[in-house]
Amino acid sequence: MDPARYRSLRFDPLKEEDLPVLYSWLQAPHVREFYHKKSVPNWEEMRADYLRRLNSDWPTKCFLTCAGMIPMGYIQAYRVADYPEYAAMIGEDKGISLDLFIGDARFVGNGWGRLILLKFLNEVAFPLFDTEQICWIYHDTLNRRAHSASRAVGFRYVRDFTEEGDLKELLALHREEASARALGAVSG
């Protein structure tokens, strides 16, 4: 891990003024390949969807990922139990889950994904949902970059499942393992 890049990461709560950059990232081919694959919402739909998420009572907590002062991506975390249909789909009802993408193509494919996952889990997601002990993440079976980043921080394969006809792989990471790996990332 790269301690300097790890320390440079910030996770700013998503704000309304962030929505134009988020919308532009959702149009990017490297994001569309695996995120909003079926259809990308138009500006009005996307804005309405994400404005709901800015409400502090919304169960999903949404953040802009920044490297220093540069916005680079999006990440969100939620308690699995808050979404019963999702829990049934992945076959789990405890823990947290997260979704993310790197929107700025300059940050794709050079190790940022693993740093984002590790720092976000330890400094944002697990503290937000402090009673949860496990994080679930899933990827399209063809998304090798995402698999590589998740496995690099310790996520382990659990099972396959199908979402809207696409085969996905469910992976899990326990809180204590994420914490131990973060200590190593910071100390270099």
Side-chain angles (χ1 to χ4, degrees):
M1 297 273 178
D2 182 332
R5 288 196 308 167
Y6 183 88
R7 284 190 295 272
S8 78
L9 283 170
R10 290 192 350 254
F11 304 100
D12 298 338
L14 191 67
K15 300 181 296 292
E16 185 173 358
E17 55 264 27
D18 300 325
L19 298 183
V21 73
L22 183 63
Y23 184 71
S24 71
W25 290 337
L26 289 170
Q27 310 304 311
H30 73 279
V31 174
R32 289 196 56 199
E33 184 177 8
F34 297 110
Y35 204 91
H36 284 297
K37 275 174 60 168
K38 304 279 188 250
S39 66
V40 175
N42 65 39
W43 165 249
E44 291 80 18
E45 294 167 334
M46 178 273 200
R47 184 174 180 278
D49 182 35
Y50 282 86
L51 279 176
R52 290 181 306 152
R53 299 174 189 208
L54 302 181
N55 182 327
S56 61
D57 294 333
W58 191 256
T60 299
K61 305 306 177 195
C62 307
F63 299 86
L64 196 67
T65 304
C66 301
M69 299 304 291
I70 303 168
M72 64 184 293
Y74 172 80
I75 192 164
Q76 63 183 28
Y78 44 94
R79 184 175 281 115
V80 172
D82 288 336
Y83 294 94
E85 288 181 20
Y86 173 72
M89 180 180 71
I90 68 168
E92 302 293 341
D93 62 357
K94 296 193 179 355
I96 60 174
S97 197
L98 54 90
D99 307 301
L100 72 150
F101 63 80
I102 296 175
D104 186 328
R106 297 173 297 174
F107 294 90
V108 173
N110 51 23
W112 284 98
R114 69 185 72 180
L115 298 171
I116 292 166
L117 282 168
L118 195 57
K119 188 164 186 174
F120 184 78
L121 280 168
N122 284 286
E123 296 186 13
V124 180
F126 279 129
L128 271 173
F129 303 103
D130 61 344
T131 62
E132 302 296 346
Q133 299 301 312
I134 191 165
C135 180
W136 307 97
I137 193 167
Y138 72 88
H139 305 298
D140 186 291
T141 56
L142 301 176
N143 192 343
R144 302 302 356 140
R145 285 190 306 252
H147 278 281
S148 176
S150 294
R151 290 180 188 271
V153 299
F155 277 92
R156 291 190 176 84
Y157 173 82
V158 177
R159 74 178 72 84
D160 292 340
F161 69 94
T162 303
E163 178 189 45
E164 298 178 1
D166 291 331
L167 188 61
K168 307 293 183 179
E169 290 183 12
L170 181 67
L171 303 129
L173 179 65
H174 287 87
R175 177 192 288 263
E176 65 273 3
E177 186 173 353
S179 179
R181 287 177 178 261
L183 287 174
V186 173
S187 64

